[in-house]
Amino acid sequence: MCRSTEGHTLQPTLEHVGYDGDDLGSRHSSAFTAFRVWAPSASDVQLVLFRNGVEEHPMGADRGGSWTASIDGDLHGVEYMFRANINGAWRDSIAPNGRASTIN
């Protein structure tokens, strides 16, 4: 819902959307690695892994505007990024909650 203030139309905000979990980024075990990113304005998100070439994996929308994917195996140390479709344009981003990074 847009509001009007003194002749100016304000765009809707994402104030009502939030994620308060502590599991953003990646979490790994010997069985699988779970990925979560907060991207409430995205209409689609992909996980991009850089191992044996480039792999793209679809992510599923989840609670609070977050998106998740789970990949078999312990991917500790594997480079990754997120690719989000926002307003029809694909945008690449390193993990905002990552503990290390590479060239973006």
Side-chain angles (χ1 to χ4, degrees), residues 2 4-5 17 30 63 85 95 100:
C2 294
S4 179
T5 304
V17 178
S30 60
R63 67 187 190 278
N85 188 324

Side-chain angles (χ1 to χ4, degrees), residues 22-38:
D22 63 356
D23 58 346
L24 292 172
S26 65
R27 301 287 184 264
H28 61 94
S29 71
S30 60
F32 67 94
T33 302
F35 296 87
R36 183 182 296 271
V37 64
W38 187 66

Side-chain angles (χ1 to χ4, degrees), residues 46-91:
Q46 304 245 333
L47 168 67
V48 181
L49 298 175
F50 300 96
R51 61 173 183 166
N52 304 320
V54 177
E55 301 174 17
E56 294 184 9
H57 300 272
M59 298 186 78
D62 204 53
R63 67 187 190 278
S66 67
W67 295 74
T68 62
S70 181
I71 308 296
D72 288 341
D74 184 349
L75 302 183
H76 178 72
V78 172
E79 293 178 35
Y80 68 95
M81 71 176 185
F82 299 108
R83 180 169 287 148
N85 188 324
I86 300 171
N87 296 324
W90 287 97
R91 304 176 192 287

